[in-house]
Amino acid sequence: MRTIALMAGLCLTLLTTTAQAQSLTQTIRGTVVDEQSGSPVGGATIQLEDGSKAAIADSAGLFHLKGIAVGRQTIRCSRVGYEEALVRNIEVTSTKEVVLEIKLREKIKKLDEVVVVGGKLKSSALNEAAVVSARQFSVDEAVRYAGTRNDPSRMAQSFAGVSGTNDARNDIVIRGNSPSGVLWRMDGIDIPNPNHFSTLGATGGPVSILNTNTLKNSDFLTGAFPSQYGNAIAGVFDLRMREGNNERNEYLAQAGFNGFEFGAEGPLQRANKSSYLVNYRYSLIAAVQALGLKVGTGTTTPYYQDLSFKLRMPTKKAGVFEWFGIGGESHILFPANGEDNLYASNDGTLRQRNFKSLTGVTGITHTYFFNSTTSGKAIAALSGFGTKYNEQIVETGKDNKTAYDKNNRQVKLSLGYTVNKKYSAGNQLTAGLIADISFLKLRQQYIPNGDSLLRTLFDTKENVTLLKANLNWGHRFSDRLSSNLGVYAQQFTLNNTASVEPRFNLKYQLKPNQSLALGTGLHSQLQPLEVYVYETKNAVGQTERTNKDLSMVKSAHAVLGYDINLSRQLRFKAEAYGQYIYNAAVEKQASSFSMLNAGADFYFPDKTNLVNNGKGYNYGLELTLERFLQKGFYYLLTGTIFDSKYKGSDGVWRNTVFNSQYVGNLLAGKEFKLKGGSSFLVDTKMTLAGGQMYTPFDLQESASAGYVVFKTTEAYSLRNNTYLRWDLKFTYARNGRRTTQKIYVDFQNITNQQNIYVRTLNPKTGQSSEINQIGFFPNFNYVVTF
């Protein structure tokens, strides 16, 4: 309460500050490029929507709009021979320049007059080859939406077809698929799990390493993605890190749930337009605890820190070099008797848990234009991932005993090259080849249920390579009809398994405001790397890797979408989809187990003797009604109904653990303009979703065995209660001549709804209990730019 009172007092102080009489302005500048080739478009006209300010792009595509009033602005960009583009609702502040990249699409049929069309809205992907199940998301959305905690994953949970697994982690379920089926990419490079407290093979965590202050508009894809993306069957986050300001130095300081942070950006050399961007963040709770203050985390304190940076170095004749990096370190200790150590062990013993993780990636890209229609991009990246997890059984009067010890490390070298060739306004070819070379050192020891001795599940060093190739031909039959035909292929050297996957999509513009789109294709994904090296004893006592020959899990996607702009601000979209999954990993002996249910936690099941005989399917309907931010008001209404089933080696079709069957979201917000260029925003989000499936305990067998036993023949036959959550967020922004300040107060789960997270059982007493998800959680954030 004391913290809330202090934040409320700070808000009141800022709100009652006298507004400055001077008119505050800023510069909007950037580059205009051809959407297909990426080459500069000179001579384009860029102007405010009301026509009060205008500029002409020079031969390098550069433009400057100076003296733009702070607040929300919309600009239009046009050039003869190209479709007009609109960039809506740009937030202009007094202390930070707005730097844009505007893509113009060349018309197939050249007309003398300018034909005004909708332009590229955020509902369309930045990747022009992605025409179904894809949308562009903005940093503004990740920051503005209630309940997101400035996290792209939590923001994506607002979109149709997407839901979270629990409030404590940002794993996402896309169309009934496991979160482990999501691919993360940064600036064209596949990256490891970008979350603190993460594990090898997982794709989520409690706190994101990604920093919205360093990102720019990116793409999010939920199915039938084009051939540029592979080794994923659920979805793709195609992220882009923005460049630093190459004309002036700018700084940022922030404090909030994600930590204390400081950022800086500016020119390295103004003459050649080179720039730097760097941001460092340290756990807020750990910093406060270090000062001797209590913040309500009990005996457990999460420690984490992360760093993001990017250098951009254009040259006159040798192309553009970019060097980026993100990395994070995190650790946490759960004492055996701590009030936060809620997770009872399978045998009812007290256990101390210690977790550490380290994640990082750094990459260099080189983009070179051979001519105005042909470019090549080379990438070289080095990523590292390490996780340590240790459980100690604590008994009075005895030394601690190791019950679980895991130490996984992966170092990956990625090398690749992509060529993009625009043959004409209607024909474009993209081709790429990438090699991911991984150096693995993996170890896991644990005491199996019903045993007292430590067993080694795996302890190995291994070097493996994943070769990936893609080819995409984009063809526009007319300004109304376009298609993409591509193929993706990959080969895994550990067991020489391979996959060749055709992809196809088609989009038809029925009217200027209506379109139909179809997408289909095959997709595949490796099993989690540690699963391949699980060890077991054969009949003569020799150690074997019985999972080594596992093939990739594969799926066929089909999506049909209809999109209509009911007005310039209002859009409706419907997508029907089907996904058939095969080659899923299941046990060799008859059982209900399938790897399709794994991936939403800190570990993967210790199953050996797996084979590729499993199947699954997902199908559903997604609806979206979205009013884009206009006159300070927006809303987003999404609804999904779906079914998600799987079949294990026992031949029985069952619900997957992720088959919540429906999810709905309502987001809305209103921005109020105040004097002096300040503003006050109210944003809210309500989520209603079906409960996830779970397997009942076998109470009699658990009591007899001394550890938790489930009724696996009734796997995922029971459903948790309906999930309901309401978030309410208030934001105050104040522009000054030297600083811009923002305060966010995000009241998450404002009704304190007790949504179930997991059920536990003490096999010794037969007592079961429920652990609820996060209840009412006030999240405060303060940021200042200067």
Side-chain angles (χ1 to χ4, degrees):
M1 292 302 296
R2 184 178 179 183
T3 303
I4 295 176
L6 287 172
M7 294 301 297
L10 181 57
C11 288
L12 183 61
T13 300
L14 289 175
L15 283 168
T16 55
T17 302
T18 302
Q20 299 184 25
Q22 300 95 327
S23 176
L24 300 174
T25 63
Q26 187 54 269
T27 296
I28 298 177
R29 62 184 182 85
T31 309
V32 183
V33 298
D34 183 280
E35 181 183 70
Q36 295 169 285
S37 69
S39 59
V41 176
T45 300
I46 304 94
Q47 60 181 342
L48 292 183
E49 191 173 29
D50 62 9
S52 60
K53 298 277 186 178
I56 303 295
D58 63 17
S59 60
L62 300 175
F63 69 90
H64 286 72
L65 286 171
K66 296 183 178 181
I68 307 301
V70 299
R72 298 281 177 181
Q73 299 288 352
T74 295
I75 66 173
R76 63 175 70 244
C77 181
S78 60
R79 189 183 188 280
V80 174
Y82 286 84
E83 297 176 358
E84 183 181 75
L86 292 176
V87 185
R88 302 178 186 272
N89 299 303
I90 305 164
E91 185 181 18
V92 181
T93 64
S94 59
T95 55
K96 189 173 183 59
E97 289 186 340
V98 177
V99 182
L100 303 173
E101 181 185 68
I102 302 176
K103 294 183 177 182
L104 291 183
R105 190 178 194 185
E106 189 176 359
K107 296 177 183 176
I108 297 293
K109 185 178 180 181
K110 301 296 190 299
L111 300 174
D112 294 332
E113 71 275 10
V114 176
V115 178
V116 178
V117 296
K120 187 154 212 160
L121 301 174
K122 66 187 180 78
S123 55
S124 302
L126 291 165
N127 183 347
E128 65 274 10
V131 301
V132 295
S133 301
R135 69 167 285 156
Q136 178 185 166
F137 70 87
S138 68
V139 174
D140 181 60
E141 289 172 330
V143 173
R144 187 176 70 238
Y145 285 173
T148 62
R149 303 183 195 173
N150 293 356
D151 184 340
S153 290
R154 287 187 167 92
M155 177 212 64
Q157 293 175 19
S158 303
F159 300 150
V162 186
S163 61
T165 58
N166 66 79
D167 293 342
R169 289 171 59 89
N170 62 10
D171 303 88
I172 57 173
V173 175
I174 299 176
R175 294 178 171 175
N177 286 287
S178 165
S180 62
V182 176
L183 170 69
W184 288 95
R185 174 175 284 197
M186 175 72 76
D187 286 357
I189 298 171
D190 294 356
I191 63 174
N193 184 353
N195 289 284
H196 291 293
F197 307 102
S198 58
T199 54
L200 184 65
T203 60
V207 182
S208 178
I209 293 174
L210 299 171
N211 193 312
T212 53
N213 292 315
T214 64
L215 297 178
K216 60 183 177 181
N217 285 14
S218 304
D219 282 344
F220 178 61
L221 302 91
T222 57
F225 19 94
S227 60
Q228 293 97 323
Y229 309 106
N231 198 30
I233 65 170
V236 178
F237 275 99
D238 190 1
L239 303 171
R240 303 192 305 161
M241 188 178 290
R242 67 180 181 86
E243 299 82 25
N245 193 322
N246 58 21
E247 294 188 1
R248 73 178 197 182
N249 291 300
E250 296 175 338
Y251 306 95
L252 173 144
Q254 183 166 316
F257 170 82
N258 290 338
F260 286 113
E261 65 178 276
F262 179 78
E265 61 183 285
L268 290 172
Q269 288 186 339
R270 287 183 172 84
N272 64 4
K273 300 293 184 181
S274 60
S275 64
Y276 74 91
L277 170 71
V278 62
N279 189 289
Y280 172 76
R281 183 168 52 189
Y282 186 78
S283 166
L284 173 70
I285 296 175
V288 173
Q289 294 268 79
L291 297 175
L293 302 175
K294 298 295 183 181
V295 291
T297 59
T299 56
T300 299
T301 301
Y303 293 87
Y304 54 87
Q305 56 185 326
D306 50 65
L307 177 72
S308 303
F309 73 87
K310 185 171 186 177
L311 304 181
R312 188 174 191 272
M313 295 158 284
T315 65
K316 290 184 178 180
K317 295 183 179 181
V320 178
F321 292 87
E322 294 184 333
W323 178 28
F324 79 91
I326 60 172
E329 181 273 338
S330 50
H331 59 277
I332 190 169
L333 173 66
F334 292 94
N337 292 302
E339 58 191 87
D340 304 297
N341 202 351
L342 300 175
Y343 301 91
S345 60
N346 275 351
D347 56 8
T349 57
L350 281 176
R351 302 194 182 194
Q352 175 177 284
R353 294 169 167 87
N354 193 5
F355 186 91
K356 298 180 180 180
S357 71
L358 181 66
T359 302
V361 58
T362 182
I364 296 176
T365 66
H366 173 235
T367 304
Y368 181 78
F369 277 87
F370 298 95
N371 53 52
S372 62
T373 61
T374 309
S375 65
K377 183 176 181 178
I379 64 170
L382 186 67
S383 60
F385 178 88
T387 180
K388 294 182 180 180
Y389 178 64
N390 181 269
E391 283 187 20
Q392 297 282 325
I393 298 175
V394 178
E395 296 181 87
T396 304
K398 296 182 180 181
D399 293 335
N400 290 354
K401 181 181 180 180
T402 298
Y404 194 103
D405 186 65
K406 187 172 187 176
N407 188 349
N408 285 346
R409 282 183 282 174
Q410 177 189 22
V411 176
K412 184 175 72 174
L413 175 64
S414 299
L415 301 171
Y417 197 80
T418 299
V419 175
N420 182 49
K421 171 66 176 179
K422 177 182 176 180
Y423 288 94
S424 65
N427 293 282
Q428 179 185 9
L429 177 68
T430 304
L433 181 64
I434 298 176
D436 288 338
I437 307 166
S438 295
F439 306 91
L440 304 173
K441 187 175 182 181
L442 311 173
R443 189 190 76 219
Q444 180 176 322
Q445 297 175 303
Y446 74 116
I447 299 178
N449 291 330
D451 204 344
S452 59
L453 299 178
L454 200 65
R455 170 194 163 190
T456 298
L457 183 60
F458 51 84
D459 188 358
T460 184
K461 292 182 180 179
E462 195 78 47
N463 300 335
V464 298
T465 300
L466 180 64
L467 297 173
K468 302 177 290 185
N470 66 83
L471 180 71
N472 186 80
W473 180 269
H475 178 66
R476 297 167 62 198
F477 299 91
S478 67
D479 285 325
R480 285 191 172 189
L481 182 63
S482 62
S483 69
N484 287 277
L485 177 63
V487 62
Y488 172 86
Q490 64 181 18
Q491 182 175 20
F492 187 44
T493 62
L494 179 68
N495 54 20
N496 288 321
T497 55
S499 180
V500 179
E501 304 156 21
R503 315 274 178 86
F504 173 75
N505 62 45
L506 185 72
K507 183 176 181 180
Y508 181 64
Q509 201 76 30
L510 298 168
K511 295 179 180 180
N513 66 329
Q514 296 182 53
S515 65
L516 276 174
L518 169 70
T520 186
L522 297 179
H523 301 74
S524 69
Q525 185 177 13
L526 296 177
Q527 308 294 336
L529 290 177
E530 67 178 52
V531 173
Y532 289 101
V533 300
Y534 286 177
E535 298 172 355
T536 188
K537 299 283 187 180
N538 61 19
V540 296
Q542 296 175 325
T543 299
E544 290 183 341
R545 293 183 182 173
T546 51
N547 293 342
K548 182 178 179 180
D549 293 328
L550 280 173
S551 183
M552 307 166 192
V553 59
K554 298 185 178 182
S555 70
H557 292 219
V559 181
L560 179 64
Y562 172 71
D563 204 322
I564 179 172
N565 290 322
L566 301 172
S567 68
R568 291 187 62 187
Q569 293 80 39
L570 189 62
R571 170 213 184 206
F572 173 77
K573 181 179 181 181
E575 281 197 345
Y577 69 88
Q579 181 184 10
Y580 175 69
I581 304 172
Y582 58 103
N583 273 17
V586 296
E587 289 187 287
K588 193 171 185 179
Q589 68 275 19
S591 79
S592 60
F593 171 82
S594 173
M595 284 294 292
L596 297 180
N597 294 306
D601 215 323
F602 292 98
Y603 62 91
F604 290 95
D606 56 346
K607 299 292 186 179
T608 57
N609 292 299
L610 296 178
V611 293
N612 292 104
N613 292 336
K615 293 180 172 62
Y617 65 80
N618 305 305
Y619 66 88
L621 176 66
E622 301 169 357
L623 303 176
T624 299
L625 180 66
E626 182 171 16
R627 185 189 194 275
F628 302 118
L629 184 65
Q630 181 73 11
K631 296 182 179 179
F633 178 62
Y634 76 92
Y635 61 79
L636 173 65
L637 178 63
T638 64
T640 305
I641 54 173
F642 69 99
D643 195 27
S644 178
K645 294 289 200 300
Y646 81 98
K647 184 167 68 172
S649 54
D650 61 1
V652 179
W653 284 100
R654 294 181 171 88
N655 294 304
T656 68
V657 65
F658 310 109
N659 192 19
S660 59
Q661 294 192 330
Y662 66 90
V663 58
N665 294 287
L666 172 61
L667 291 83
K670 175 63 177 176
E671 184 177 51
F672 302 92
K673 294 182 179 180
L674 306 177
K675 293 181 179 180
S678 299
S679 61
F680 182 72
L681 293 82
V682 180
D683 296 274
T684 190
K685 175 185 177 182
M686 293 192 69
T687 298
L688 178 70
Q692 289 193 349
M693 309 304 296
Y694 69 95
T695 303
F697 298 120
D698 191 323
L699 299 179
Q700 186 174 350
E701 287 295 322
S702 297
S704 174
Y707 56 86
V708 175
V709 179
F710 294 92
K711 293 182 178 179
T712 55
T713 57
E714 302 176 26
Y716 309 115
S717 59
L718 300 179
R719 184 182 301 279
N720 283 330
N721 296 333
T722 299
Y723 176 94
L724 177 64
R725 175 169 151 170
W726 178 26
D727 301 323
L728 184 62
K729 183 176 183 179
F730 301 97
T731 303
Y732 173 69
R734 180 177 183 272
N735 285 286
R737 299 203 63 82
R738 295 185 178 180
T739 62
T740 296
Q741 302 174 72
K742 287 187 178 182
I743 291 181
Y744 310 92
V745 184
D746 194 356
F747 298 108
Q748 301 180 15
N749 195 5
I750 195 170
T751 62
N752 200 30
Q753 177 77 18
Q754 299 302 299
N755 293 305
I756 294 175
Y757 171 45
V758 70
R759 289 171 172 81
T760 63
L761 174 70
N762 188 324
K764 295 179 180 179
T765 64
Q767 182 178 358
S768 62
S769 59
E770 296 176 352
I771 299 175
N772 290 322
Q773 301 194 38
I774 296 175
F776 173 64
F777 179 72
N779 180 23
F780 301 96
N781 226 23
Y782 173 71
V783 59
V784 56
T785 56
F786 53 98

